[in-house]
């Protein structure tokens, strides 16, 4: 009974005993709201049921009752809506929506709280009364054996329990009923939390919540991918490269010990050359997975190292100043690398200029300009390089702007919020 269960999509898993506590608190608040509403409606009820009063007295009571109800119901609704929202908020997964702005002086902000209160006073009140009666009846039934032994009797609704045999049976039924209430409490908590979310939040607020949760999920996926990329780079660098280097050195020692005219020496030479070539290729792969210069010296130096490897001239103008956050630097590095690869593959450019700067303190821009044939992005594929760049930037809440008329030149601007390393 103390395990955890998943309430529903969009809600966090909650332990049953925690859900039972949540349900008990919700039932208590609902019954208090029902009692407060009954007191507010008492003058109207008295005026409509009292037959000995005259028309003037009855009318005065009705007017007073309507005034009390008109003032008290919005106040009760505001209190109930705010307290239930605070209680239900921890159950919601993902980005937290803004608390409903309820102001008694602005009637439009009271529409949803009053609608929520009406639901809780009717359907919620019925459920709360049933739960309360079930709990009270179960507790009385569980104590009925003691009452039967002492010669007393227990009355549970239409049932009177006076014998020991009946009391033991009633105690078992009461224990099972309490256990059942605890068992279904996550479902009850889920239903209430979903009602709070659906009634008290505006549709645009729910949409903004969903978009925020999606953006955070995508950012987590990109961050996890980059972390895994670093793990692969470290494993290759610390494990595979030393082994290949050891093979190459062993083959070199073997060549030193072998005379020039020994059969098979040429095979050992070729094996050593292949080991060296494989080691060079592996180093290049490791560098492409996550360059060490990016970790040690930052984005500007890493972009310059990439630019030095291209056949066409690439001029890099770095004006960032302070370092960026590691995940921002990593994603921007691979964006620039992909843009440069696209220039070489498709643009037939003779020169590329890259500018890294901060147009404002809270923005980072990277502008890639080439004098090629243009037309970049005109036939973008879902699995193409520009689509991959767009996905990376979306995880950083960034944008990609392409200015590439046919015939050129092409200017592509990457813009992301500033994320400094601190």
């Amino acid at each position: 009974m103390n395990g955890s269960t998943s309430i529903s999509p969009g809600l966090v898993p909650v332990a049953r005993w925690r859900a039972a506590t949540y349900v008990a608190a919700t039932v208590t608040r609902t019954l208090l709201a029902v009692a407060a509403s009954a007191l507010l409606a008492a003058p109207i009820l008295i005026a409509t049921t009292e037959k000995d009063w005259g028309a003037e007295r009855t009318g005065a009571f009705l007017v007073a009752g309507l005034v009390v109800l008109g003032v008290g119901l919005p106040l009760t609704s505001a209190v109930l809506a705010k307290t239930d929202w605070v209680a239900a908020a921890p159950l919601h997964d993902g980005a937290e929506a803004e608390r409903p702005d309820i102001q008694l002086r602005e009637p439009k902000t009271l529409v949803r709280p009053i609608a929520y209160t009406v639901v809780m006073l009717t359907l919620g009140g019925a459920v709360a009364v049933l739960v309360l009666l079930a709990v009270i009846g179960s507790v009385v039934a569980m104590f009925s054996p003691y009452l039967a032994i002492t010669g007393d009797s227990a009355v549970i609704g239409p049932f009177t329990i006076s014998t020991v045999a009946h009391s033991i049976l009633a105690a078992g039924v009461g224990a099972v009923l309490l256990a059942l209430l605890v068992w279904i409490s996550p479902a009850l908590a889920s239903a209430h939390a979903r009602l709070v979310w659906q009634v008290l939040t505006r549709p645009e607020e729910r949409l903004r919540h969903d978009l925020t949760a999606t953006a955070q999920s995508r950012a987590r996926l990109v961050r996890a991918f980059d972390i895994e990329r670093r793990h692969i780079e470290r494993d290759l660098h610390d494990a595979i490269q030393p082994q290949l280097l050891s093979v190459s050195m062993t083959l070199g020692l073997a060549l030193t010990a072998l005379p020039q005219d020994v059969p098979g020496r040429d095979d050992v030479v070729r094996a050593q050359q292949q080991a060296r070539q494989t080691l060079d290729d592996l180093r290049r792969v490791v560098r492409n997975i996550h360059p060490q210069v990016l970790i040690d010296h930052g984005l500007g130096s890493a972009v310059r190292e990439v630019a030095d490897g291209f056949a066409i001239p690439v001029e890099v103008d770095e004006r960032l100043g302070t370092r960026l956050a590691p995940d921002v630097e990593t994603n921007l590095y691979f964006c620039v690398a992909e843009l440069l690869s696209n220039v070489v593959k498709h643009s037939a450019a003779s020169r590329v200029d890259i500018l890294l700067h901060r147009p404002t303190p809270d923005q980072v821009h990277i502008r890639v300009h080439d004098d090629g044939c243009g037309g970049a992005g005109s036939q973008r594929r879902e699995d193409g390089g520009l689509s991959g760049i767009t996905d990376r930037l979306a995880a950083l809440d960034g944008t990609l702007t392409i200015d590439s008329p046919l015939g050129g030149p092409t200017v592509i601007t990457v813009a992301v919020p500033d994320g400094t390393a601190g």
Side-chain angles (χ1 to χ4, degrees):
M1 298 290 293
N2 208 13
S4 297
T5 182
S6 179
I7 289 181
S8 72
L11 300 175
V12 298
V14 58
R16 286 194 173 90
W17 284 111
R18 181 189 172 195
T21 304
Y22 177 93
V23 171
T26 303
V27 167
T28 302
R29 291 193 301 270
T30 303
L31 293 176
L32 290 176
V34 170
S37 300
L39 290 177
L40 294 174
I44 298 177
L45 182 62
I46 294 174
T48 54
T49 56
E50 186 62 48
K51 299 180 179 179
D52 297 334
W53 288 359
E56 293 182 358
R57 189 176 182 184
T58 300
F61 255 75
L62 285 175
V63 171
L66 291 174
V67 171
V68 171
L69 188 63
V71 174
L73 184 59
L75 182 60
T76 302
S77 301
V79 173
L80 182 63
K82 287 184 177 180
T83 54
D84 281 11
W85 175 269
V86 172
L91 271 65
H92 288 283
D93 195 6
E96 182 179 355
E98 296 181 1
R99 183 178 301 182
D101 183 19
I102 303 173
Q103 299 182 15
L104 297 178
R105 295 182 179 181
E106 296 186 15
K108 64 179 182 179
T109 65
L110 295 171
V111 175
R112 291 183 179 275
I114 291 177
Y116 171 77
T117 301
V118 170
V119 174
M120 293 302 294
L121 292 179
T122 53
L123 180 61
V127 174
V129 170
L130 288 176
V131 171
L132 180 63
L133 292 178
V135 171
I136 293 176
S138 299
V139 172
V140 173
M142 293 174 65
F143 278 95
S144 62
Y146 171 78
L147 298 175
I149 292 174
T150 57
D152 204 347
S153 60
V155 179
I156 305 175
F159 304 102
T160 301
I161 303 171
S162 56
T163 65
V164 175
H166 289 168
S167 65
I168 294 176
L169 178 62
V173 173
V176 171
L177 183 57
L178 277 180
L180 180 63
L181 287 176
V182 174
W183 187 74
I184 67 172
S185 59
L188 296 176
S190 169
H192 179 260
R194 195 180 300 113
L195 175 67
V196 171
W197 178 257
Q198 291 292 331
V199 178
L200 293 182
T201 57
R202 301 186 303 274
E204 57 270 23
E205 180 64 31
R206 294 195 293 272
L207 178 60
R208 183 163 56 249
H209 172 274
D210 293 341
L211 291 176
T212 303
T214 301
Q216 291 178 345
S217 176
R218 181 163 51 184
R220 288 193 297 269
L221 288 175
V222 172
R223 191 175 298 112
F225 175 76
D226 288 332
I227 292 174
E228 187 62 26
R229 182 194 292 268
R230 294 191 185 192
H231 288 169
I232 295 173
E233 183 270 338
R234 186 178 63 246
D235 292 341
L236 292 175
H237 185 275
D238 296 342
I240 307 301
Q241 282 194 96
Q243 293 178 13
L244 284 174
L245 183 60
S246 177
V247 170
S248 178
M249 293 176 63
T250 302
L251 291 173
L253 292 175
L255 283 175
T256 303
L258 288 176
Q260 293 290 335
D261 55 350
V262 172
R265 192 177 191 279
D266 293 340
D267 294 333
V268 177
V269 172
R270 283 194 298 270
Q272 185 189 35
Q273 292 174 348
Q274 291 175 356
R276 290 176 178 174
Q277 182 63 40
T278 302
L279 183 60
D280 292 338
D281 293 341
L282 181 60
R283 285 171 176 168
R284 186 163 51 253
V285 170
V286 169
R287 187 165 56 249
N288 290 334
I289 289 177
H290 197 85
Q292 188 64 34
V293 67
L294 179 63
I295 300 175
D296 296 338
H297 302 290
L299 182 61
S301 298
V303 171
R304 289 190 182 95
E305 184 180 63
V306 173
D308 292 340
F310 283 88
I312 61 176
V314 179
E315 182 70 24
V316 180
D317 184 7
E318 189 261 322
R319 307 175 187 175
L320 293 176
T322 58
R323 290 284 299 270
L324 306 177
D327 57 333
V328 176
E329 284 188 337
T330 299
N331 282 282
L332 290 180
Y333 168 79
F334 286 108
C335 288
V336 174
E338 183 63 35
L339 289 175
L340 287 176
S341 297
N342 288 343
V343 170
V344 174
K345 292 178 183 177
H346 308 296
S347 72
S350 61
R351 178 181 176 82
V352 181
D353 293 306
I354 301 177
L355 172 63
L356 300 86
H357 69 120
R358 285 188 171 96
T360 61
D362 58 348
Q363 282 284 320
V364 175
H365 283 193
I366 299 177
R367 185 173 65 88
V368 179
H369 175 277
D370 70 75
D371 58 357
C373 60
S378 58
Q379 296 180 347
R380 188 183 302 185
R381 304 189 311 272
E382 292 185 0
D383 59 346
L386 292 179
S387 296
I389 293 174
T390 302
D391 291 340
R392 280 186 173 275
L393 294 178
L396 301 175
D397 198 20
T399 59
L400 178 70
T401 304
I402 302 175
D403 181 11
S404 182
L406 291 178
T410 296
V411 178
I412 298 180
T413 303
V414 172
V416 298
D418 180 25
T420 59

